[in-house]
Amino acid sequence: MGIHVPSNVPMESTPFKGMEFEVDEIAYDYYNEYGRKASFSIRKEYVNKYKKTGVVTSRRFVCAKEGVHGKDKRDQNVKNPQAETRCGCETRLVIVLNQDSKKYVVSEFITEHNHCLHLPSTVHMMPSQRKVAATHAIEIDLTHDNLGFTKQDHKNYLCTKRQRDMEHGAAASLGRYFSCQLKENPSYYFTTQLDCEELITNIFWADARMIIDYSHFGDVITFDTTYGTNRDARPLGVFLGLNHHKETVVFGGALLYDETTESFVWLFETFLKAMSEKKPITIFTDQDAAMSAAIKVVMSKTYHALCSWHMWQNAEKQLGHLLKNDSQFNTDFLAYIYEYDNKYDEKWAQAYVKRNFTTRMKTTQFSESFNANLKDCLRTDLNIVEFFTHFETIVNQKRDKELEAKYNSRQKFPSLKLKSSPMLNQVATVYTPKLFDLFQAEVEEVMTLSILERNVSQTHSYVVGVFNQYGKYEVIKFESFGILCRHGLKVLDRWRRDAKDGSGKNCTTHNIKPDTRLEYSASTSSASHQEGSSASVALASHLESISIVVGSNDKINGAGGLLTQGSDASRGPLTQESFTSGWNEMVHKVKPFF
């Protein structure tokens, strides 16, 4: 695993041999604080005491990954075996009681670790750091035991707050919200679409983290508008994907006035503009015809796949009697969707979806999951600012999941089923745990395969059979040399543990400045990010265009929150004052979303 020595820890915070402590617990607290700054967890290994007095004579504090766990005594076939968290790390601090001074002296201090250290953004998850501070405990107790107000007081306060937030109308409130976002991070991107009456119809937004995430994981995305946000059922559109931990990641959101092809064309063009024109390889949607038509216009080279779950739901509605009463029809229909021998080239057939990179995605179900989470904290009486606040909350919950996955990838070691396999041992350190589990399962399945036929005359094709199963599979990869090509190997980088290290360094985004409210790993402070992006937003020109008279079927763009490469920066940087004055011109020009 290599040697890892904590860095960037101030000398005054680092223990040393000969260091003295009045009490052994003070020594533990000091070493635990050092572990927090160095990004590793500690634990108490042993203590020696005088038998008569109980006075501690020596103690050893070690890295939490010291030693190894005993063999799991449960059944070997247990579905979820206990994860291994120790690797024999020898980092430790030993203190011994000095009989003369009655103080505890550091007699041994080892700094080298044989494992990767945790990220600064996940240190709060380490066992030795997970504690409730006294000040927080007081707040919790006060909140739990004595709120100081009644439920009606709480209701009245929220009602007053809503009225205060919306006293200048929806457009002004939305303008203030976007103004705050731009103030906190100039790389926040938003844009609106106006109709011929200069009323805001559609809105798209993406924060800096969404743009950076898309640059890494925007190869396969899902998009749907199955969830309405208010009593008027205005559709909410969310662009989602999967990161290297196979966790849901959000790329952007949209509030739409309608679901016409024209609106979707505007939205997809806007989305790609925000993402530096990087088109996804595959997009999953439901069966909306207008959406499908817009994808053909804007992303003609992107593979458009239909959600198989939606296909099944529609089949139950339209063909329920056949699915229920005709077992053969049921079998055939499932085969058309999921089996590889389907002869019909359909967007929902697994045989043809498999020809494209999909990250093993088959449905938009995690879009449904995101919408369900959002629905839990939304009501029909919410105003637009409250909606955006709740949306941020759900997005942050998804990001917390990624942070937890990052922590677990360093805290827990994959369970190797073939411990002597050099390949698996190496891959386990490179790829994220979820991808490694899938990879290991494929390696296991190799044992059940056999090559039945070879054809090396032209295409180097192979016919492969599975033991004790019917069916044959033709493999025509590895065309000329017999090994996986560089392009196939490169795709696997998507699933590396360090897929996001140095976020932005190799991105195809604009010079995006990470959100200042988010804790990134130290690598995100690379030069490419430190340069950031100018707050010079071409908002003034957008606002000027509002006064132009357009045709009855034309729609024009509203304000944007990001200066793209090549935009006219001569207008100077956008200040919060200029943004507010510009937006105020449109205060009453918004169609009622809420």
Side-chain angles (χ1 to χ4, degrees):
M1 294 185 186
I3 300 298
H4 299 266
V5 179
S7 58
N8 301 323
V9 180
M11 288 295 296
E12 61 271 17
S13 301
T14 303
F16 56 87
K17 288 184 68 173
M19 192 175 191
E20 294 183 337
F21 299 94
E22 295 289 340
V23 184
D24 61 309
E25 285 300 325
I26 294 179
Y28 171 82
D29 291 338
Y30 189 92
Y31 190 50
N32 193 33
E33 177 62 15
Y34 166 74
R36 184 185 69 80
K37 292 177 179 177
S39 301
F40 71 95
S41 185
I42 74 167
R43 60 184 172 83
K44 301 173 182 177
E45 187 191 24
Y46 72 71
V47 58
N48 291 322
K49 299 179 180 180
Y50 284 124
K51 290 184 179 180
K52 291 184 179 180
T53 62
V55 174
V56 172
T57 58
S58 64
R59 298 201 77 150
R60 177 187 284 181
F61 309 119
V62 298
C63 172
K65 294 185 179 292
E66 181 272 344
V68 293
H69 281 297
K71 186 176 180 181
D72 194 336
K73 296 181 180 179
R74 297 178 295 174
D75 190 300
Q76 328 181 8
N77 299 319
V78 66
K79 188 173 183 180
N80 295 309
Q82 182 179 5
E84 180 59 70
T85 59
R86 300 187 188 182
C87 58
C89 183
E90 296 186 355
T91 298
R92 57 183 175 267
L93 178 79
V94 180
I95 57 173
V96 178
L97 179 63
N98 184 305
Q99 298 296 334
D100 297 327
S101 66
K102 304 301 180 183
K103 293 182 178 180
Y104 292 92
V105 182
V106 175
S107 62
E108 187 178 13
F109 175 53
I110 297 178
T111 61
E112 297 84 4
H113 297 260
N114 67 347
H115 57 89
C116 292
L117 300 175
H118 286 293
L119 299 172
S121 56
T122 63
V123 293
H124 64 283
M125 299 180 183
M126 302 188 308
S128 64
Q129 300 296 329
R130 284 159 54 185
K131 56 186 178 181
V132 179
T135 53
H136 295 158
I138 294 173
E139 292 178 3
I140 293 172
D141 290 339
L142 288 173
T143 302
H144 183 267
D145 297 330
N146 184 16
L147 293 175
F149 53 83
T150 66
K151 289 183 178 180
Q152 186 59 44
D153 293 332
H154 181 251
K155 185 177 180 180
N156 292 340
Y157 168 78
L158 291 178
C159 183
T160 303
K161 183 177 183 298
R162 289 193 195 102
Q163 292 173 350
R164 184 172 61 249
D165 290 343
M166 298 297 291
E167 63 182 343
H168 298 295
S173 300
L174 187 61
R176 284 198 300 272
Y177 173 83
F178 285 143
S179 176
C180 290
Q181 299 300 316
L182 281 170
K183 182 180 180 181
E184 293 185 357
N185 190 281
S187 293
Y188 187 93
Y189 187 99
F190 74 92
T191 188
T192 60
Q193 185 182 36
L194 307 180
D195 65 6
C196 60
E197 297 177 347
E198 299 181 8
L199 299 180
I200 297 174
T201 56
N202 300 320
I203 304 171
F204 170 81
W205 70 94
D207 64 25
R209 174 76 175 268
M210 294 174 185
I211 298 171
I212 291 173
D213 282 342
Y214 182 82
S215 72
H216 292 292
F217 309 115
D219 39 21
V220 181
I221 68 175
T222 71
F223 176 78
D224 77 350
T225 54
T226 57
Y227 180 62
T229 56
N230 63 359
R231 63 171 62 90
D232 295 320
R234 300 301 187 207
L236 165 69
V238 185
F239 295 90
L240 301 172
L242 290 177
N243 62 22
H244 51 323
H245 296 283
K246 291 189 75 68
E247 296 287 350
T248 301
V249 59
V250 183
F251 299 137
L255 286 174
L256 302 175
Y257 189 73
D258 56 33
E259 295 182 88
T260 61
T261 299
E262 290 77 14
S263 286
F264 284 130
V265 166
W266 174 86
L267 176 58
F268 294 148
E269 288 178 343
T270 300
F271 174 74
L272 293 179
K273 182 179 179 182
M275 305 303 167
S276 300
E277 302 299 336
K278 174 184 175 180
K279 295 180 175 65
I281 297 173
T282 304
I283 182 171
F284 280 86
T285 72
D286 58 21
Q287 293 173 267
D288 187 277
M291 194 185 301
S292 180
I295 291 173
K296 287 181 180 179
V297 172
V298 182
M299 296 180 276
S300 58
K301 294 184 179 180
T302 295
Y303 182 75
H304 180 201
L306 296 180
C307 167
S308 56
W309 182 82
H310 279 105
M311 287 295 305
W312 185 255
Q313 293 296 308
N314 289 337
E316 285 187 329
K317 291 178 182 178
Q318 306 297 330
L319 305 171
H321 60 290
L322 289 174
L323 294 173
K324 184 177 180 180
N325 301 321
D326 189 338
S327 60
Q328 185 58 46
F329 179 85
N330 196 349
T331 301
D332 291 342
F333 185 74
L334 287 173
Y336 284 139
I337 294 180
Y338 296 112
E339 293 184 8
Y340 299 142
D341 296 330
N342 188 338
K343 63 182 178 180
Y344 300 103
D345 189 353
E346 298 288 347
K347 294 178 181 179
W348 44 267
Q350 182 64 21
Y352 294 93
V353 173
K354 190 175 178 67
R355 294 177 180 178
N356 299 272
F357 184 62
T358 63
T359 65
R360 278 199 173 181
M361 202 183 297
K362 298 177 183 177
T363 72
T364 60
Q365 196 157 1
F366 63 94
S367 292
E368 306 289 340
S369 174
F370 180 89
N371 290 339
N373 292 338
L374 191 61
K375 188 175 182 179
D376 287 342
C377 65
L378 290 183
R379 301 181 309 280
T380 57
D381 61 343
L382 286 181
N383 62 51
I384 195 167
V385 175
E386 287 176 316
F387 161 75
F388 273 95
T389 301
H390 285 308
F391 186 87
E392 277 189 59
T393 299
I394 302 303
V395 169
N396 287 331
Q397 287 175 1
K398 297 300 180 185
R399 290 170 178 172
D400 287 342
K401 284 284 187 182
E402 179 180 335
L403 205 61
E404 186 178 340
K406 283 183 181 179
Y407 171 77
N408 286 330
S409 70
R410 292 172 179 249
Q411 175 68 7
K412 301 174 182 178
F413 300 104
S415 176
L416 296 178
K417 296 182 179 179
L418 299 173
K419 296 184 183 297
S420 60
S421 168
M423 178 178 66
L424 288 180
N425 274 278
Q426 194 269 341
V427 169
T429 65
V430 174
Y431 297 116
T432 58
K434 286 193 176 181
L435 190 280
F436 172 76
D437 288 342
L438 294 172
F439 182 87
Q440 182 169 237
E442 294 295 329
V443 171
E444 282 190 289
E445 292 299 322
V446 169
M447 309 303 176
T448 68
L449 303 177
S450 61
I451 296 177
L452 304 178
E453 301 174 24
R454 285 188 177 92
N455 179 7
V456 295
S457 59
Q458 292 180 341
T459 60
H460 284 263
S461 65
Y462 300 82
V463 177
V464 178
V466 183
F467 181 71
N468 272 349
Q469 289 186 20
Y470 292 106
K472 299 177 182 180
Y473 302 87
E474 185 178 13
V475 180
I476 54 176
K477 297 288 185 181
F478 325 131
E479 287 87 353
S480 61
F481 192 47
I483 63 172
L484 190 61
C485 68
R486 71 194 74 172
H487 312 96
L489 289 171
K490 186 61 182 176
V491 170
L492 292 175
D493 283 353
R494 185 196 196 279
W495 304 105
R496 291 178 61 93
R497 291 167 179 255
D498 59 358
K500 289 183 68 175
D501 283 4
S503 297
K505 185 168 57 177
N506 298 314
C507 299
T508 56
T509 62
H510 311 293
N511 291 324
I512 299 301
K513 182 180 180 181
D515 196 327
T516 53
R517 295 166 295 175
L518 300 172
E519 280 194 12
Y520 266 68
S521 60
S523 60
T524 59
S525 60
S526 60
S528 60
H529 276 169
Q530 288 174 344
E531 293 174 3
S533 65
S534 170
S536 303
V537 185
L539 177 62
S541 61
H542 286 304
L543 291 174
E544 288 174 5
S545 68
I546 293 172
S547 61
I548 299 174
V549 179
V550 295
S552 59
N553 295 321
D554 293 334
K555 295 184 179 180
I556 55 178
N557 289 334
L562 180 68
L563 175 66
T564 61
Q565 296 171 350
S567 294
D568 181 11
S570 62
R571 299 178 182 273
L574 174 75
T575 63
Q576 189 175 13
E577 291 75 18
S578 63
F579 171 88
T580 303
S581 63
W583 187 276
N584 284 342
E585 294 178 18
M586 298 192 299
V587 164
H588 301 296
K589 297 179 178 180
V590 59
K591 287 202 173 185
F593 277 100
F594 292 83

